[in-house]
């Protein structure tokens, strides 16, 4: 595929004729023609108004801004897979990467090796040179050729690991100063904010005061805080309140990552969470959130273990799993007490399915609940987990059926909501959200269930996330803005992707343009490469 794709530096001079414009602001749809000149929108025309540009007939279709994925795990895919059809065929033209406090910059040589090991279950191990080290280096790689536009966050866990390793201790003043310097440089390099993964090692060992201190340079550069907070289960509400308190203390905008209320303990609690968010907004805290339109989640299997198991890195986790006494201690935490990795809730192995493996001998587990795989192997569920993790060097992926549809619908209706796929591309049986999030939101929820109007739904996907990113020239169809556009059929748009068959193409997406270049035609990815880095400094222009 890499050989047939080609770089396209500028788009056509063309008019999209006969479409219905939904411009990303939430304003009512209207008939309009959209004139493009290279990578920009030159004019919004009355239907049939004269232009000397070529015509592109999109009669009867919706013309909208390209969709913005506010929470994506395509950090390596945008470099290793020039097609990146899973996202582009949905209409996504911009992804925000380095989520959950975990990313590949800023690092040194040792840090890059550690991050590649730690993130293998999320991003795989593609054949790349991995020569970048800073945020600036990574964004420069994007500018050399990427399938879509990319913005990045400074990942707090990566920063902490660079300065402190995996040590389970508060930062000393000198260590805090070192981390602040890395965060500040990352923001200067073009990051749009700071992400945190507070249920993952080593970020789980950080104090709230550490986070407030590291957010000061983020605030100074106009960025935002995007936390994966400490507990989405037994202490979810307290964890959301803590995120708000940290952002409020730092004086920084807050974007709540994958804002869901999962597990039976939180059923029906969405109104409580939304009241907490509304109260913060009323106090002047700038809060947005993202959520995907699926009740199941996905992560790495190793992340369900207690964070203390990883105090000396991946090698330490493997030693503990293979030591009988230490492994039994981990089992009790995961299955009986409820580990912090599983948000205080005892693991239900019937509800946790294997999505990806590395070792060929584990291939039969893919798509099966852990409990079913254990029965097939004639071992306990815990023994099956240990065997999977050891054979895969901890890179096993899983899907968890722990969500609540009523909570999800209530959160998606909120005026602070944006959409993030949280999608993981790797594995033989991944979560369908990587292929279906955006058309599913528009089709199954906005249109079929009447969750919101089409205009409001598009605003959730475009104008609102662009405002959070500080982008004045993306996310809205207007003269002078970048020509990131998606053309779709309002009555057909949707996703047939399922948990059983997750890689099915979306329906109803006619055309996608990135920086004016047509990259999807007739619902299929073509050969053009038109993405570029979107730097935080762009928000200050």
């Amino acid at each position: 595929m890499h050989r047939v794709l080609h770089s396209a530096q500028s788009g056509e001079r063309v008019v999209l004729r006969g479409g219905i414009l939904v411009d990303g602001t939430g304003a009512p749809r209207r008939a309009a023609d959209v004139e493009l000149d290279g990578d920009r929108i030159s004019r919004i025309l009355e239907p049939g108004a004269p232009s000397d540009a070529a015509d592109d007939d999109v009669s009867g279709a919706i013309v909208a801004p390209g969709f913005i994925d506010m929470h994506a795990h395509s950090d390596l895919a945008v470099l290793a897979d020039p097609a990146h059809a899973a996202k582009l065929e949905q209409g996504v033209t911009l992804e925000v990467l380095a989520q959950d406090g975990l990313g590949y910059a800023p690092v040194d040589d040792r840090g890059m090796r550690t991050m590649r090991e730690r993130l293998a279950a999320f991003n795989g191990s593609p054949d790349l040179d991995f020569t970048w080290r800073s945020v600036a280096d990574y964004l420069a790689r994007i500018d050399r050729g990427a399938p879509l536009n990319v913005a990045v966050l400074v990942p707090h866990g990566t920063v902490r690991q660079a300065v402190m390793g995996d040590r389970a201790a508060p930062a000393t003043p000198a260590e805090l100063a070192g981390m602040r310097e890395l965060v500040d440089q990352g923001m200067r390099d073009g990051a749009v904010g700071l992400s945190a993964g507070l249920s993952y090692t080593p970020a789980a060992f950080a104090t709230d005061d550490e986070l407030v201190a590291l957010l000061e340079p983020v605030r100074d550069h106009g960025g935002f805080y995007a936390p994966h907070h400490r507990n989405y289960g037994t202490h979810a509400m307290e964890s959301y309140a803590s995120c708000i308190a940290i952002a409020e203390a730092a004086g920084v905008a807050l974007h709540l990552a994958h804002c869901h209320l999962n597990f039976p303990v939180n059923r029906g609690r969405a109104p409580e969470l939304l009241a907490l968010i509304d109260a913060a907004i009323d106090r002047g805290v700038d809060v947005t959130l993202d959520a995907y339109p699926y009740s199941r989640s996905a992560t790495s299997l190793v992340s369900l273990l207690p964070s203390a198991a990883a105090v000396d890195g991946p090698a330490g986790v493997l030693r503990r799993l293979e030591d009988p006494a230490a492994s039994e201690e981990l089992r009790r935490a995961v299955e009986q007490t409820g580990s912090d990795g599983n948000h205080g809730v005892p693991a239900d192995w019937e509800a946790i399915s294997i999505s990806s493996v590395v070792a060929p001998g584990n291939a039969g587990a893919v798509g099966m609940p852990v409990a079913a795989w254990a029965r097939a192997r004639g071992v306990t569920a815990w023994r099956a987990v240990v065997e999977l993790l050891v054979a895969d060097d901890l890179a096993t992926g899983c899907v968890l059926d722990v969500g609540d549809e009523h909570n999800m619908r209530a959160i998606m209706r909120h005026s602070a909501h944006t959409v993030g796929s949280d999608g993981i591309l790797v594995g033989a049986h991944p979560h369908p959200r990587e292929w279906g999030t955006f058309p599913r939101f528009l089709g199954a929820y906005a249109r079929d269930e009447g969750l919101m109007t089409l205009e409001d739904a598009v605003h959730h996907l475009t104008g609102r996330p662009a405002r959070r990113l500080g982008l004045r020239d993306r996310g809205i169809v207007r003269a002078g803005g970048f020509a990131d556009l998606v053309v779709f059929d309002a009555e057909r748009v949707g996703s047939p992707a399922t948990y059983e068959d997750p890689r099915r193409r979306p329906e109803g997406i006619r055309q996608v343009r990135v920086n004016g270049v047509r990259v999807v035609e007739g619902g299929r990815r073509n050969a053009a490469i038109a993405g570029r880095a979107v730097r935080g400094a762009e928000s200050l222009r």
Side-chain angles (χ1 to χ4, degrees), residues 68-70 94-99 135 139 150-155 183-195 215 217-226 252-255 465-471 533-540:
I68 298 174
D69 190 339
M70 284 296 290
L94 169 61
E95 292 186 289
V96 186
L97 306 179
Q99 298 285 352
V135 170
L139 293 175
V150 170
V152 300
L153 298 156
V154 178
V183 172
D184 184 67
Q185 186 60 55
M187 296 300 297
R188 291 178 186 276
D189 285 349
V192 295
L194 179 79
S195 74
L215 285 168
V218 176
R219 177 198 62 212
D220 294 344
H221 289 286
F224 61 93
Y225 177 42
V252 72
L254 173 65
H255 182 80
R467 186 193 73 81
R468 166 53 67 234
L469 294 170
L471 302 177
V534 174
R535 292 170 173 82
E538 292 182 23
S539 67
L540 304 178

Side-chain angles (χ1 to χ4, degrees), residues 181-223:
E181 183 177 343
L182 288 175
V183 172
D184 184 67
Q185 186 60 55
M187 296 300 297
R188 291 178 186 276
D189 285 349
V192 295
L194 179 79
S195 74
L198 301 177
S199 68
Y200 298 125
T201 304
F205 308 131
T207 65
D208 288 1
D209 287 343
E210 174 183 315
L211 294 163
V212 171
L214 297 183
L215 285 168
E216 290 173 5
V218 176
R219 177 198 62 212
D220 294 344
H221 289 286

Side-chain angles (χ1 to χ4, degrees), residues 52 70 74 157 177 277 284 289 304 317 443 456 464 488:
D52 58 0
M70 284 296 290
S74 305
I277 291 170
L289 57 94
L304 306 184
V317 177
D456 196 18
R464 187 176 295 153
F488 64 92

Side-chain angles (χ1 to χ4, degrees), residues 443-527:
Y445 287 97
R447 181 193 61 224
D448 298 344
E449 292 198 15
L451 204 65
M452 62 191 73
T453 66
L454 176 64
E455 291 86 346
D456 196 18
V458 169
H459 182 52
H460 284 232
L461 304 181
T462 60
R464 187 176 295 153
R467 186 193 73 81
R468 166 53 67 234
L469 294 170
L471 302 177
R472 300 174 183 175
D473 47 13
R474 298 187 193 272
I476 296 175
V477 180
R478 59 185 171 197
F482 281 105
D484 295 338
L485 299 167
V486 57
V487 178
F488 64 92
D489 295 319
E491 297 307 313
R492 289 189 58 240
V493 67
S495 173
T498 63
Y499 295 105
E500 294 73 30
D501 190 4
R503 287 189 170 93
R504 296 181 66 185
R505 275 192 171 92
E507 297 171 343
I509 304 291
R510 285 199 200 177
Q511 179 186 138
V512 180
R513 289 178 182 263
V514 175
N515 297 311
V517 177
R518 189 159 33 184
V519 297
V520 172
E521 304 174 89
R524 298 296 179 98
R525 177 73 167 101
N526 65 20

Side-chain angles (χ1 to χ4, degrees), residues 38-327:
D39 64 355
R40 298 276 183 164
I41 299 165
S42 51
R43 292 189 292 172
I44 309 299
L45 303 171
E46 292 298 316
S51 170
D52 58 0
D55 285 353
D56 182 355
D57 184 6
V58 296
S59 295
I62 301 296
V63 178
F67 305 147
I68 298 174
D69 190 339
M70 284 296 290
H71 190 103
H73 290 286
S74 305
D75 306 55
L76 301 185
V78 293
L79 300 177
D81 176 16
H84 204 34
K87 287 297 180 65
L88 283 169
E89 290 183 358
Q90 291 186 61
V92 174
T93 59
L94 169 61
E95 292 186 289
V96 186
L97 306 179
Q99 298 285 352
D100 298 328
L102 299 168
Y104 301 89
V107 293
D108 56 15
D109 292 349
R110 179 182 59 84
M112 179 62 87
R113 289 193 297 271
T114 299
M115 287 303 114
R116 289 179 65 184
E117 290 177 3
R118 187 157 283 164
L119 296 176
F122 292 92
N123 297 309
S125 299
D127 184 16
L128 293 168
D129 60 24
F130 292 96
T131 54
W132 71 89
R133 293 295 178 265
S134 67
V135 170
D137 292 342
Y138 180 80
L139 293 175
R141 287 288 294 269
I142 295 297
D143 277 335
R144 281 166 47 187
L148 42 55
N149 300 315
V150 170
V152 300
L153 298 156
V154 178
H156 165 251
T158 302
V159 166
R160 195 174 211 268
Q161 206 280 332
V163 174
M164 298 180 61
D166 291 311
R167 197 156 51 84
T172 66
E175 289 166 338
L176 190 59
M179 287 190 280
R180 280 173 59 100
E181 183 177 343
L182 288 175
V183 172
D184 184 67
Q185 186 60 55
M187 296 300 297
R188 291 178 186 276
D189 285 349
V192 295
L194 179 79
S195 74
L198 301 177
S199 68
Y200 298 125
T201 304
F205 308 131
T207 65
D208 288 1
D209 287 343
E210 174 183 315
L211 294 163
V212 171
L214 297 183
L215 285 168
E216 290 173 5
V218 176
R219 177 198 62 212
D220 294 344
H221 289 286
F224 61 93
Y225 177 42
H228 164 125
H229 61 63
R230 298 187 190 278
N231 187 293
Y232 286 82
T234 53
H235 297 290
M237 217 60 65
E238 297 93 327
S239 295
Y240 280 116
S242 175
C243 292
I244 292 169
I246 289 167
E248 201 163 8
V252 72
L254 173 65
H255 182 80
L256 295 166
H258 38 57
C259 184
H260 291 262
L261 279 171
N262 292 335
F263 304 102
V265 68
N266 289 314
R267 282 182 184 148
R269 297 189 75 188
E272 185 181 347
L273 170 60
L274 298 177
L276 184 71
I277 291 170
D278 288 337
I281 293 171
D282 290 344
R283 292 196 306 273
V285 185
D286 184 0
V287 184
T288 52
L289 57 94
D290 65 66
Y292 47 82
Y294 294 89
S295 60
R296 299 184 195 181
S297 61
T299 189
S300 59
L301 187 62
V302 70
S303 70
L304 306 184
L305 304 184
S307 56
V311 292
D312 45 3
V317 177
L318 289 168
R319 284 196 302 271
R320 290 177 177 84
L321 288 171
E322 294 181 285
D323 175 81
S327 180

